[in-house]
């Protein structure tokens, strides 16, 4: 009888131990428990999947970003960042009772100088910005796609966490209470979106149903707002998570707007007319080059994606370049998670895909050393010993059409001169009258707002030096200084 009790006791202990192990395993790896995922699911080296809890789209929860999140660790995986990117996109586009996605109803619509954008014609989404960053290029659609050419417009949306930080820090700097060079960072959860739009009439009628559309007040060439139905083309999703004050920079696009350059065959081809590319075959990069002060790209209606998912490949072989990001793991993870989401998503956003993201390798790095790296290292470098991870030549065909490379010949591109978000978004203030560095300057909204609200600023007029504090003149100088800084970065490279 005594032996029987001993055996039963041992069996109970084994059952309890196994149960405890399963509980801890499920908690640490994110296995579903009662329909809820506590963190991202673990994935094998060749698999990066979406999560059941993201669907249906109406119920997508925001991703975990702070304490207890996958980023609250000395060791992260490549898939952690891709999962955050897709979940964040699904969350900001989550349908609301109004019929709008979350970001249109709940985020602040602002100008590049972070002024609140007022509704026009009774419509909340007012669009006036058409110039791309860096090149100041203007993207227009292929007129052969739907017998009309139209211009791409841009909107910026931020949450209160980012906006409040910009306002408070700019006030402290402009009042002299905080130096321009500082160690301030944006808080976990700070979020910025940049969204590209086009008049629905530019899109072939049979494809219009595949785009998210909404009403917008669009500023025309006569300076008048006109009500139009616009289609969402692309979106940058830029957010702060724990241990990543540099932001995660993710980007999404609608499918089939432009072809991808074939590095193996050194050409780009489209069998049919596309939104930004006339059918046919071309070589070279003139279709994505906008010369300074030009009024159109070197070759119109031939825009293409230089690198699929922002992952660079060598010309002639089509093999992955040797960079700071291990490939093909990253490329395969993006492809896998795109397929996973597409198989689960049922609404119009199933026609959009994730084109990659970029971040820095801060595994095991203290917060102090993270800040030091941001202000002292070349965070845009993609050389094998660099910090950048993910899609190291990241671009969106609708937003960085003409800044996918700064080389004049495609044969000159190698791993030493790849272009990504960190090429322009660095820690250096572009106001050369009071230079300084801070992680805050990674957001151009902060740099723009800081200079825009500077108490006293002189402008050089065309005829003599006159003080002109008009809003338009301030914006003109801000844009000129950003271009000057970009040209400096290009020369340095």
């Amino acid at each position: 009888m005594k032996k029987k009790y001993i055996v039963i006791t041992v069996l109970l202990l084994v059952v309890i131990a196994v149960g405890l192990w399963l509980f801890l395993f499920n908690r640490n790896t994110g296995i579903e428990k009662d329909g809820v995922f506590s963190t991202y699911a673990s994935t094998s080296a060749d698999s990066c999947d979406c999560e059941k809890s993201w669907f249906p789209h109406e119920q997508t929860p925001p991703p975990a970003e702070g304490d207890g999140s996958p980023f609250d660790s000395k060791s992260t995986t490549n898939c952690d960042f891709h999962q955050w990117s897709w979940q964040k996109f699904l969350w900001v586009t989550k349908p609301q009772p109004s019929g709008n996605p979350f970001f249109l109803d709940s985020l602040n619509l602002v100008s590049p100088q972070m002024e609140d954008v007022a509704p026009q014609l009774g419509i909340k989404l007012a669009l006036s910005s058409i110039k791309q960053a860096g090149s100041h290029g203007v993207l227009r659609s292929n007129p052969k796609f739907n017998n009309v050419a139209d211009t791409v417009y841009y909107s910026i949306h931020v949450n209160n966490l980012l906006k409040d930080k910009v306002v408070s820090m700019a006030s402290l700097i402009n009042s002299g209470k905080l130096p321009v060079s500082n160690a301030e960072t944006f808080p976990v959860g700070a979020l910025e979106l940049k969204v590209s739009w086009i008049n629905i009439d530019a899109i072939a009628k049979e494809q219009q149903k595949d785009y998210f559309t909404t009403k917008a007040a669009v500023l025309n060439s006569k300076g008048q707002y006109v009500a139009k139905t616009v289609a969402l083309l692309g979106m940058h999703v830029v957010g702060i998570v724990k241990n990543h004050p540099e932001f995660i920079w993710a980007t999404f696009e609608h499918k089939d707007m432009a072809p991808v350059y074939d590095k193996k065959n050194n050409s780009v081809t489209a069998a049919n007319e596309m939104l930004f590319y006339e059918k046919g075959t071309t070589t070279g990069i003139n279709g994505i080059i906008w010369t300074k002060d030009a009024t159109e790209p070197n070759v119109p209606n031939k825009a293409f994606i230089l690198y699929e998912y922002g992952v660079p490949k060598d010309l002639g072989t089509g093999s992955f370049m040797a960079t700071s990001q291990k490939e093909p793991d990253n490329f395969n993870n993006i492809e896998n998670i795109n397929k996973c989401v597409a198989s689960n998503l049922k609404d119009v956003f199933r026609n959009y895909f994730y084109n990659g993201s970029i971040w820095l390798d801060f595994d095991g790095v203290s917060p102090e050393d993270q800040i030091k790296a941001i202000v002292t290292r070349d965070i845009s470098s993609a050389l094998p010993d660099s910090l950048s991870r993910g899609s190291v030549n990241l671009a969106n065909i609708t937003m960085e059409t003409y800044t996918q490379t700064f080389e004049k010949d495609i044969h000159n591109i190698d791993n030493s001169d790849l272009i990504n978000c960190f090429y322009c978004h660095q820690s250096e203030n572009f106001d050369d009258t009071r230079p300084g560095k801070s992680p805050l300057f990674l957001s151009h909204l902060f740099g723009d707002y800081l200079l825009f609200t500077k108490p006293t600023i002189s402008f050089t007029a065309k005829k003599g030096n006159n003080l002109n504090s008009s809003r338009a003149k301030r914006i003109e100088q801000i844009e000129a200084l950003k271009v000057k800084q970009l040209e400096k970065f290009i020369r340095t490279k």
Side-chain angles (χ1 to χ4, degrees), residues 374-387:
I374 288 171
V375 300
T376 61
R377 298 279 296 272
D378 178 6
I379 61 175
S380 70
S381 173
L383 291 172
D385 61 347
S386 300
L387 291 173

Side-chain angles (χ1 to χ4, degrees), residues 14-188:
V14 170
V15 170
I16 292 170
V18 171
L20 180 61
W21 179 84
L22 287 172
F23 169 76
L24 291 173
F25 178 81
N26 287 351
R27 185 182 67 180
N28 292 334
T29 61
I31 302 299
E32 187 177 12
K33 183 177 178 62
D34 298 327
V36 177
F37 286 76
S38 60
T39 185
Y40 293 141
S42 63
T43 56
S44 62
D46 60 352
S47 176
C48 184
D49 298 320
C50 55
E51 302 245 351
K52 292 181 182 178
S53 62
W54 300 354
F55 310 101
H57 194 188
E58 293 82 358
Q59 300 175 17
T60 306
E65 298 173 328
D67 295 345
S69 73
F71 310 102
D72 183 18
S73 170
K74 292 182 179 180
S75 178
T76 58
T77 69
N78 176 272
C79 188
D80 289 337
F81 295 86
H82 299 316
Q83 289 179 315
W84 176 90
S85 299
W86 247 123
Q87 188 177 0
K88 197 74 169 183
F89 175 79
L90 291 174
W91 180 65
V92 301
T93 58
K94 181 167 64 174
Q96 302 297 293
S98 65
N100 287 332
F102 174 83
F103 78 93
L104 283 180
D105 279 357
S106 303
L107 298 184
N108 303 292
L109 178 63
V110 298
S111 73
Q113 291 73 44
M114 220 184 66
E115 298 173 286
D116 289 325
V117 175
Q120 300 291 333
L121 308 177
I123 303 172
K124 184 176 181 181
L125 181 60
L127 302 174
S128 61
S129 176
I130 62 172
K131 291 184 178 180
Q132 294 192 359
S135 65
H136 284 186
V138 176
L139 180 60
R140 290 180 62 79
S141 64
N142 170 19
K144 295 182 179 179
F145 189 57
N146 198 38
N147 299 316
V148 63
D150 219 315
T151 302
V152 175
Y153 282 76
Y154 305 100
S155 61
I156 299 173
H157 311 258
V158 299
N159 67 359
N160 289 331
L161 277 174
L162 187 138
K163 186 177 182 181
D164 291 347
K165 186 71 174 183
V166 167
V167 172
S168 61
M169 292 299 100
S171 176
L172 289 173
I173 292 174
N174 282 329
S175 65
K177 296 177 182 178
L178 181 72
V180 176
S181 291
N182 61 76
E184 292 288 336
T185 63
F186 287 99
V188 170

